[in-house]
Amino acid sequence: MRNRNLIIGTVLVTIGGGMGAGAALAYDGTNCSEPGVCWEPKPGYPDKIEGSKYDPKHSDSELNKQQESIQGMEKRNAMRVEHFKKTGEWVNDTDELELQQAMSEDEQS
């Protein structure tokens, strides 16, 4: 009797899971304008973002942070390459390079 109830329970769970999966696969919620282009805005999302509540209104300092970071990276890389060309030794720590340059300037003075 126990085995029979276990088999019936397993069959019912399998059938229920199959029906749920079939319903989930039937509609994916998108209307594709062409294959692979299926994005559509949520209802109420404006056609024009600028001036709406979705406009992020970034400040200039926030927008320039990445550019400043890239310029700093390029400066550090130039220091590394210059040091490598002079000595043949690659140094990742640019603080160490700046210290070496300051010491060599003091010796020259």
Side-chain angles (χ1 to χ4, degrees), residues 6 8 14 22 26 29 31 34 42 47 49-50 53 60 65-67 79 88 90 94 98 101 104 107-108:
L6 182 64
I8 292 173
T14 304
N31 296 316
E34 58 186 61
K42 291 183 177 181
D47 292 333
I49 306 262
E50 188 176 344
K53 69 177 185 177
D60 288 337
K65 279 184 180 179
Q66 184 174 15
Q67 184 60 33
M79 288 174 56
W90 184 263
T94 56
E98 290 173 351
Q101 285 179 353
S104 66
E107 290 174 1
Q108 291 175 357

Side-chain angles (χ1 to χ4, degrees), residues 82 86 97-109:
E82 180 183 341
K86 287 180 183 176
L97 292 177
E98 290 173 351
L99 181 62
Q100 288 177 2
Q101 285 179 353
M103 289 174 60
S104 66
E105 289 174 3
D106 286 343
E107 290 174 1
Q108 291 175 357
S109 299

Side-chain angles (χ1 to χ4, degrees), residues 4-108:
R4 182 176 173 207
N5 288 341
L6 182 64
I7 292 172
I8 292 173
T10 304
V11 169
L12 290 176
V13 168
T14 304
I15 291 172
M19 290 175 64
L25 296 175
Y27 177 68
D28 64 357
T30 58
N31 296 316
C32 300
S33 60
E34 58 186 61
V37 181
C38 297
W39 184 86
E40 61 183 22
K42 291 183 177 181
Y45 197 79
D47 292 333
K48 182 179 174 188
I49 306 262
E50 188 176 344
S52 72
K53 69 177 185 177
Y54 298 100
D55 190 0
K57 299 177 184 76
H58 294 298
S59 67
D60 288 337
S61 64
E62 289 292 322
L63 293 174
N64 293 331
K65 279 184 180 179
Q66 184 174 15
Q67 184 60 33
E68 291 170 4
S69 174
I70 290 171
Q71 288 172 344
M73 176 190 65
E74 290 172 350
K75 179 183 171 192
R76 292 187 302 273
N77 285 339
M79 288 174 56
R80 291 178 181 121
V81 169
E82 180 183 341
H83 178 75
F84 181 74
K85 286 180 179 178
K86 287 180 183 176
T87 65
E89 176 190 12
W90 184 263
V91 178
N92 280 324
D93 188 7
T94 56
D95 292 336
E96 183 180 326
L97 292 177
E98 290 173 351
L99 181 62
Q100 288 177 2
Q101 285 179 353
M103 289 174 60
S104 66
E105 289 174 3
D106 286 343
E107 290 174 1
Q108 291 175 357

